[in-house]
Amino acid sequence: MTAPVAKPPAAKPAAAKTSATKKPPREVRVTGAKFIASVSGIGEVPPGMAEFAMCGRSNVGKSSLINALCNQKQLARVSKTPGRTQRINLFDVDLSSGQTIRLVDLPGFGHADVPGAVQRQFSPMIQAYLLEQPALRAVLLLVDARRDPDPDAIGFAEWLSENHVPVVLIVTKSDKVPKTERFGVQEKLRRAFGQADRPLLCSSQVGDGMPDLLRFLRDAAGHLPRAKKSR
Ligand SMILES: Nc1nc2c(ncn2[C@@H]2O[C@H](COP(=O)(O)OP(=O)(O)OP(=O)(O)O)[C@@H](O)[C@H]2O)c(=O)[nH]1
Ligand SMILES: [Mg+2]
């Protein structure tokens, strides 16, 4: 089994060193972020900029990651109660590169009493968003550093790939894993998801991975065009 994925966040920008194409600065900062809307359908999403959707099991840290990236404590709602995020929540984020990107906080899967395939756990609304939103550049699929590879998440990554939606694997809560074990965690997840490159290790608590993830978002905002659907 392999789940094709988008180029991982650690990738360096591919710009050639010529006088015509300058390498973008290494550092990317968030200069502003605001909540835009909480919507229940793709038709309600205001048109705008490149979108990146946070996906993963309930409680994996999707909302926390948005807050950490934006350097704010309460932009997205964080909770110990799984299933807190129920609608599509949109946040527009200004980058120091001059771009504005949109982060999309989606409901988590795995908390509902719905066994089986992950896509059945997503409402038609979420499926439609993931499959049909032209502005969606990539899904950031979050997995908890402390958990074994999750068959639901692997199935979800495959489903996205089959539908030509770029997926980037992000390992959350790195602060909960001793430093000496982190490489092993990344390798285990890399293999389980059939990736060529090690997934990015992040902690919203202590900031691990944030500079790399911001660089990825900056670079991907203008790249990763979605393949045309064949159906
Ligand atoms: N130690 C640690 N805890 C974290 C981290 N990220 C999130 N958490 C905690 O994990 C819990 C769930 O975080 P959320 O961000 O609400 O998770 P979610 O994926 O948005 O959850 P749903 O909205 O229910 O799908 C909270 O108690 C957070 O404080 C992290 O990097 N490190
Ligand atoms: Mg949430």
Side-chain angles (χ1 to χ4, degrees), residues 54-68 76-86 89 105-109 111 142 144 146 171-176 202-208 210:
M54 306 285 169
C55 284
R57 291 192 90 82
S58 283
N59 230 37
V60 72
K62 299 177 292 295
S63 303
S64 300
L65 186 61
I66 290 177
N67 288 338
R77 191 165 173 192
V78 171
S79 173
K80 286 194 165 54
T81 315
R84 177 56 67 194
T85 309
Q86 296 288 358
N89 292 319
D105 199 7
L106 291 178
F109 54 76
H111 63 88
L142 277 51
D144 190 321
R146 299 166 301 177
V171 186
T172 62
K173 309 192 187 183
S174 64
D175 58 282
K176 293 279 192 186
C202 284
S203 167
S204 301
Q205 197 113 315
V206 301
D208 288 350
M210 297 302 134

Side-chain angles (χ1 to χ4, degrees), residues 110-138:
H111 63 88
D113 312 326
V114 188
V118 162
Q119 56 268 41
R120 284 206 300 275
Q121 299 189 38
F122 277 118
S123 66
M125 159 196 69
I126 302 294
Q127 291 188 44
Y129 171 77
L130 291 169
L131 299 183
E132 290 162 25
Q133 171 60 301
L136 181 65
R137 291 289 189 276

